[in-house]
């Protein structure tokens, strides 16, 4: 038996951001905390959003790091509680939205945060008391605006997943206009993040035909439009389709991910270097596809057909070529990862919650092989 839920409200269109005051009222939020990053805090985007809800006297937390941390979550919770906020508006990419989920959880549940991690049995500890979130994505990549999970690096360096249907934002406010100013480098990295989500979830062995259909459409959409969005950020059709592909990737999370995410999660938790999640996924994806191929040949052929890949080319080859055209890195060593870091990364990947849904069963030696392939 498969239990299937898609339980969130999505407002999606050009100019949708103007609905924010109505959405705040719909959720009966009297004093919102806006969670964002320092770059967006100085942007025209945030100025417009704050102006729309100025009557609610919103409070600002603008210290989201590139990879959200337990320390940042605790700082946001402190501001939330000191100002007696009763809801959160997350503005930005996956980092801001994930941090908002962590804050919404810890503001309404007793600490420490660690106890709610899914691999530590935290799923059933998260209750409906989680503070309401309105997610306003400004990138087209993570799909966190409709996802039930958050990735947060704890104070001890572990990057853990927090998963619950109660962490899904109450409303996803998706306006492609808000991604128009996204720099070319981030357009590439976040776009590949969305594509990776669609591919990995389609290949997951769990049974969820609706998620499979969404993943296929998202992969097809991302493959068609990512290079146009990369070359011409002002192309509204490309931005619309990439934000939709990102949303679809988030919806398919219900099926679980795979080894790409098992590997990128601990890498994203490194403290001495900062690594972008989407960039890591793009870099790792070809090697994992090659590794998995014999266990999911038919599904890979379906993906290749839907994405319009030439019959003589394999998906892993297509992704590697696409990464080059988008100017993305091809090795972990070029990003500053050293061999001394690999044992910790292998251990983290093996214990990651995404490992269970890789189409090919994995042991530690498999991760030794995969990390060496992308080093």
């Amino acid at each position: 038996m498969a239990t299937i839920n898609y339980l969130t409200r999505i407002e999606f269109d050009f100019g949708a951001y103007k609905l924010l005051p109505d959405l705040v009222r719909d959720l009966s939020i009297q004093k919102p905390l806006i969670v964002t990053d320092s770059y967006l805090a100085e942007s025209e985007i945030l100025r417009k959003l704050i102006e729309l809800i100025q009557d609610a006297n919103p409070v600002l937390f603008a210290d989201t790091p590139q990879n959200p941390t337990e320390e940042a979550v605790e700082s946001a919770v402190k501001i939330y509680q000191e100002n007696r906020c009763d809801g959160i508006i997350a503005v930005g990419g996956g980092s801001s939205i994930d941090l908002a989920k962590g804050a919404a959880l810890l503001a309404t549940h007793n600490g420490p945060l660690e106890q709610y991690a899914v691999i530590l049995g935290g799923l059933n500890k998260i209750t409906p008391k989680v503070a309401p979130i309105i997610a306003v994505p400004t990138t087209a990549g993570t799909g966190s605006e409709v996802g039930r999970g958050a990735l947060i690096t704890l104070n001890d360096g572990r990057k853990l997943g927090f998963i619950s249907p109660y962490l899904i934002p109450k409303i996803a406010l998706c306006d492609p206009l808000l991604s128009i100013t996204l720099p070319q480098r981030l357009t590439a990295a976040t776009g590949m993040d969305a594509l990776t989500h669609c591919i990995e979830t389609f290949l997951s062995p769990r049974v969820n035909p609706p998620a499979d259909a969404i993943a296929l459409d998202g992969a097809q959409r991302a493959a068609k439009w990512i290079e146009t969005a990369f070359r011409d950020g002002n192309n509204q059709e490309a931005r619309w389709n990439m934000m939709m592909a990102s949303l679809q990737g988030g919806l398919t999370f219900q099926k679980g991910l795979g080894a790409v995410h098992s590997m990128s999660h601990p890498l994203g938790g490194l403290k001495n270097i900062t690594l972008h999640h989407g960039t890591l996924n793009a870099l790792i994806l070809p090697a994992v596809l090659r590794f998995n191929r014999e266990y999911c040949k038919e599904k890979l052929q379906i993906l290749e057909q839907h994405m319009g890949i030439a019959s003589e080319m394999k998906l892993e080859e297509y992704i590697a070529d696409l990464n080059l055209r988008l100017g993305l890195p091809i090795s972990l060593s070029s990003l500053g990862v050293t061999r001394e870091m690999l044992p910790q990364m292998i251990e983290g990947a093996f214990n990651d919650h995404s490992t269970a849904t890789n189409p090919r069963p994995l042991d530690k030696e498999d991760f030794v092989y995969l990390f060496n392939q992308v080093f």
Side-chain angles (χ1 to χ4, degrees), residues 151 192-193 195-197 199-201 203 256-268 276-292 319 323 332 345 349 352 354-360 362 367 370-371 374:
L151 288 169
M192 287 304 298
D193 194 20
L195 180 54
T196 302
H197 293 159
I199 290 172
E200 274 217 297
T201 52
L203 296 177
L257 293 158
V260 175
H261 281 76
S262 301
M263 296 168 69
S264 65
H265 289 161
L267 286 163
H276 185 269
H277 178 69
T279 301
L280 290 170
N281 283 348
L283 190 161
I284 295 168
L285 181 58
V288 170
L289 289 172
R290 281 194 297 272
F291 178 82
N292 285 335
I319 296 296
N323 285 341
L332 292 179
M345 299 300 96
D352 190 82
S354 296
T355 297
T357 47
N358 192 69
R360 177 175 175 175
L362 294 154
F367 280 117
L370 286 169
F371 272 104
V374 297

Side-chain angles (χ1 to χ4, degrees), residues 137-189:
T138 60
T139 68
T142 72
S144 187
E145 65 273 9
V146 292
R148 57 182 177 164
L151 288 169
I152 299 170
T153 303
L154 301 186
N155 293 333
D156 62 10
R158 288 176 297 162
K159 188 168 188 175
L160 299 183
F162 298 81
I163 297 176
S164 167
Y166 303 121
L167 291 178
I168 302 173
K170 298 294 184 186
I171 300 174
L173 181 55
C174 302
D175 188 337
L177 290 176
L178 301 185
S179 68
I180 290 289
T181 59
L182 194 66
Q184 197 173 46
R185 174 181 58 85
L186 286 176
T187 296

Side-chain angles (χ1 to χ4, degrees), residues 136 244 297 309:
V136 187
M244 180 56 73
K297 277 185 177 179
I309 298 172

Side-chain angles (χ1 to χ4, degrees), residues 10 12-13 139-141 143 145-146 174 176 194 198 214 217-218 221-222 237-251:
I10 302 165
F12 193 109
D13 204 357
T139 68
E145 65 273 9
V146 292
C174 302
C198 292
I214 294 169
D217 187 81
R221 199 179 297 274
E237 188 175 9
R239 291 297 192 184
W240 191 100
N241 278 282
M242 288 309 300
M243 185 164 278
M244 180 56 73
S246 175
L247 176 78
Q248 291 172 300
L251 290 173

Side-chain angles (χ1 to χ4, degrees), residues 42-265:
E42 304 297 326
S43 70
E44 182 68 10
I45 290 173
L46 198 70
R47 187 195 66 77
K48 288 181 178 180
L49 293 174
I50 290 176
E51 189 176 272
L52 285 170
I53 57 169
Q54 58 185 343
D55 290 346
N57 296 313
V59 180
L60 183 64
F61 176 84
D63 293 325
T64 301
Q66 183 167 317
N67 292 303
T69 63
E70 181 179 11
E71 181 181 11
V73 168
E74 291 170 345
S75 297
V77 169
K78 183 179 179 182
I79 293 173
Y80 183 96
Q81 293 175 335
E82 287 177 348
N83 289 275
R84 298 185 178 181
C85 296
D86 58 354
I88 297 178
I89 301 171
V91 182
S95 294
S96 292
I97 298 173
D98 278 10
L99 193 143
K101 292 177 181 179
L105 171 61
L106 212 54
T108 53
H109 293 64
N110 294 329
L113 182 62
E114 174 189 32
Q115 66 182 302
Y116 303 105
V118 66
I119 64 169
L120 299 178
L123 174 62
N124 294 324
K125 296 179 182 178
I126 301 175
T127 75
K129 293 192 300 182
V130 173
I133 302 170
I134 299 173
V136 187
T138 60
T139 68
T142 72
S144 187
E145 65 273 9
V146 292
R148 57 182 177 164
L151 288 169
I152 299 170
T153 303
L154 301 186
N155 293 333
D156 62 10
R158 288 176 297 162
K159 188 168 188 175
L160 299 183
F162 298 81
I163 297 176
S164 167
Y166 303 121
L167 291 178
I168 302 173
K170 298 294 184 186
I171 300 174
L173 181 55
C174 302
D175 188 337
L177 290 176
L178 301 185
S179 68
I180 290 289
T181 59
L182 194 66
Q184 197 173 46
R185 174 181 58 85
L186 286 176
T187 296
T190 57
M192 287 304 298
D193 194 20
L195 180 54
T196 302
H197 293 159
C198 292
I199 290 172
E200 274 217 297
T201 52
F202 182 72
L203 296 177
S204 162
R206 285 182 180 163
V207 176
N208 194 325
D212 285 344
I214 294 169
L216 277 177
D217 187 81
Q220 182 183 50
R221 199 179 297 274
K224 180 178 179 179
W225 290 102
I226 187 170
E227 290 186 84
T228 302
F230 173 73
R231 291 193 305 269
D232 179 11
N234 291 314
N235 186 305
Q236 292 193 9
E237 188 175 9
R239 291 297 192 184
W240 191 100
N241 278 282
M242 288 309 300
M243 185 164 278
M244 180 56 73
S246 175
L247 176 78
Q248 291 172 300
L251 290 173
T252 65
F253 284 169
Q254 308 296 326
K255 276 196 72 185
L257 293 158
V260 175
H261 281 76
S262 301
M263 296 168 69
S264 65
H265 289 161

